[in-house]
């Protein structure tokens, strides 16, 4: 329900996304009589979980205020209200309340899977995105689902405008997070997390996700309505070879042979094996002058 008391009722199924703007009244009820429902709740600030609950309001104010607010409700009924927050209550399922109302919101708060979402794919993985471009109601947040085959990697990348929280839904993923702050005194952090674990990557920190021990599914969320990503392959594919080779103190021939020629969000490690003949080091002729121009490739 929005600030103008316009409301909508809807049903979200497995994989669907709901978005509630700050301060908008809402409730979530499991309607599957056998299996109930499990949801992931994400907030875009540290205090987001501090919701205003109906039971809180009733417990916080004296009887005379509640009687005036609730049509002179008897005091003995007020005494039966919870004395503390009752955020998860057992209710009844009313089928006639599940269809959308005739008084809809301007911003539809649910994004069903059957509407389809954009995807970014490659060898070993796929990413389904929910940004404001697809779901107008996402005013301050966005997210996506990343599915990785075993050995599949979400390539080295960084997010230009948002911090990331990722929740491992299935399997295990390995990650190394790098910041240029105090590097190399403070080395890149490596960790492996599995189903039920959460990882955090600050804005502009380089990282990747690699499925280990089997396939993996990761739910990612960002504190921006349309998160931005830059990746290593995209960076190398558009930067001139003489610049990247100078930065890495190697030859232009190496850059032209090995560095990516197009942006690839996902790769598989078993497809990156190098033949023995290609693995031979390319020695530089001692008589050939060193023409490195010491150009640094950076992201800021």
């Amino acid at each position: 329900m929005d600030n103008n008391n316009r409301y909508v009722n809807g049903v979200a199924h497995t994989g669907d996304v709901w978005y509630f703007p700050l301060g908008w009244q809402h409730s979530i009820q499991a309607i599957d009589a056998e299996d109930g429902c499990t949801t992931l709740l994400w907030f875009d600030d540290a205090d987001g979980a501090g919701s205003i609950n109906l039971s809180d309001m009733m417990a916080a104010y004296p009887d005379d205020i509640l009687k005036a607010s609730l049509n002179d409700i008897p005091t003995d009924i007020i005494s039966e209200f919870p004395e503390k927050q009752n955020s998860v209550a057992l209710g009844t399922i009313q089928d006639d309340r599940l269809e959308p109302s005739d008084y809809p919101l301007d911003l539809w708060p649910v994004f069903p899977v059957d509407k389809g979402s954009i995807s970014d794919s490659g060898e070993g993985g796929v990413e389904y995105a929910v940004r404001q471009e697809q779901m107008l109601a996402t005013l301050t947040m966005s997210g996506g689902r990343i599915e990785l085959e075993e050995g599949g990697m979400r390539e080295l990348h960084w997010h230009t405008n948002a911090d990331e929280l990722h929740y491992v839904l299935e399997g295990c993923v390995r990650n190394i997070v790098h910041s240029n702050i105090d590097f190399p005194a403070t080395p890149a952090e490596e960790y492996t997390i599995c189903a039920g674990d959460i990882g955090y990557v600050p804005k502009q920190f380089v990282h990747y996700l690699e499925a280990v021990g089997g396939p993996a599914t990761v739910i990612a969320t960002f504190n921006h309505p349309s998160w931005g990503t830059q990746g290593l392959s995209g960076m190398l594919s558009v930067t001139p070879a003489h610049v990247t080779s100078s930065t890495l103190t190697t030859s232009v021939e190496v850059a032209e042979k090995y560095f990516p020629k197009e942006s690839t969000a996902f790769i598989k490690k078993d497809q990156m094996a190098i033949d023995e003949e290609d693995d031979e080091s390319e020695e530089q002729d001692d008589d050939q002058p060193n023409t490195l121009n010491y150009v640094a490739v950076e992201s800021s």
Side-chain angles (χ1 to χ4, degrees):
M1 183 180 70
D2 70 2
N3 298 329
N4 297 311
N5 293 335
R6 294 177 295 184
Y7 68 94
V8 66
N9 300 309
V11 178
H13 301 277
T14 300
D16 291 352
V17 176
W18 277 88
Y19 180 83
F20 305 113
L22 182 66
W24 286 26
Q25 185 275 332
H26 60 277
S27 62
I28 303 171
Q29 183 180 33
I31 60 175
D32 189 317
E34 295 183 0
D35 297 328
C37 181
T38 300
T39 64
L40 292 175
L41 301 181
W42 304 93
F43 303 91
D44 62 355
D45 63 68
D47 300 322
S51 304
I52 302 172
N53 188 275
L54 177 61
S55 58
D56 288 343
M57 287 189 284
M58 298 299 103
Y61 290 94
D63 291 357
D64 62 319
I65 301 300
L66 298 183
K67 289 174 69 69
S69 302
L70 302 176
N71 295 312
D72 200 28
I73 186 172
T75 302
D76 58 344
I77 296 179
I78 295 176
S79 66
E80 296 176 355
F81 290 166
E83 296 181 355
K84 58 182 180 179
Q85 186 179 96
N86 186 27
S87 58
V88 181
L90 184 61
T92 58
I93 300 173
Q94 301 292 328
D95 292 338
D96 59 345
R97 294 290 294 170
L98 299 181
E99 294 299 323
S101 71
D102 294 328
Y103 196 26
L105 302 174
D106 291 336
L107 300 176
W108 190 259
V110 67
F111 187 80
V113 168
D114 57 13
K115 280 189 175 181
S117 56
I118 64 170
S119 62
D120 197 355
S121 61
E123 296 293 338
V126 62
E127 179 179 73
Y128 300 92
V130 180
R131 290 183 171 94
Q132 195 171 53
E133 295 93 305
Q134 294 83 48
M135 185 181 181
L136 295 178
T138 57
L139 302 179
T140 64
M141 301 177 67
S142 53
R145 184 175 79 245
I146 300 171
E147 297 178 357
L148 295 167
E149 301 174 11
E150 183 175 9
M153 289 178 54
R154 181 67 174 88
E155 72 155 350
L156 285 167
H157 65 284
W158 55 98
H159 302 294
T160 58
N161 58 358
D163 305 312
E164 174 185 347
L165 274 175
H166 47 259
Y167 174 88
V168 182
L169 190 64
E170 297 175 326
C172 295
V173 295
R174 187 167 75 106
N175 194 357
I176 296 178
V177 180
H178 161 66
S179 167
N180 62 350
I181 301 174
D182 196 31
F183 183 82
T186 301
E189 177 185 358
E190 177 179 346
Y191 60 86
T192 298
I193 55 178
C194 297
D197 295 336
I198 292 177
Y200 171 70
V201 182
K203 178 173 58 179
Q204 297 187 11
F205 276 42
V206 180
H207 61 287
Y208 71 97
L209 294 172
E210 174 193 359
V212 292
T217 302
V218 178
I219 306 296
T221 188
F222 304 90
N223 54 355
H224 191 281
S226 184
W227 86 89
T229 300
Q230 289 188 354
L232 177 64
S233 62
M235 175 187 187
L236 294 176
S237 67
V238 300
T239 306
H242 74 277
V243 176
T244 55
S245 62
S246 298
T247 303
L248 298 179
T249 63
T250 188
S251 67
V252 171
E253 290 75 20
V254 167
E256 291 177 341
K257 183 174 182 178
Y258 293 107
F259 293 178
K261 302 300 185 295
E262 61 182 11
S263 179
T264 305
F266 293 89
I267 53 180
K268 288 199 72 173
K269 293 180 71 174
D270 60 2
Q271 294 182 351
M272 295 187 296
I274 302 176
D275 295 337
E276 289 184 2
E277 61 184 21
D278 292 335
D279 197 29
E280 296 178 356
S281 61
E282 299 189 9
E283 299 180 356
Q284 184 177 11
D285 191 337
D286 293 339
D287 296 331
Q288 182 178 354
N290 189 333
T291 59
L292 298 181
N293 57 7
Y294 302 102
V295 178
V297 179
E298 299 180 348
S299 171
S300 60

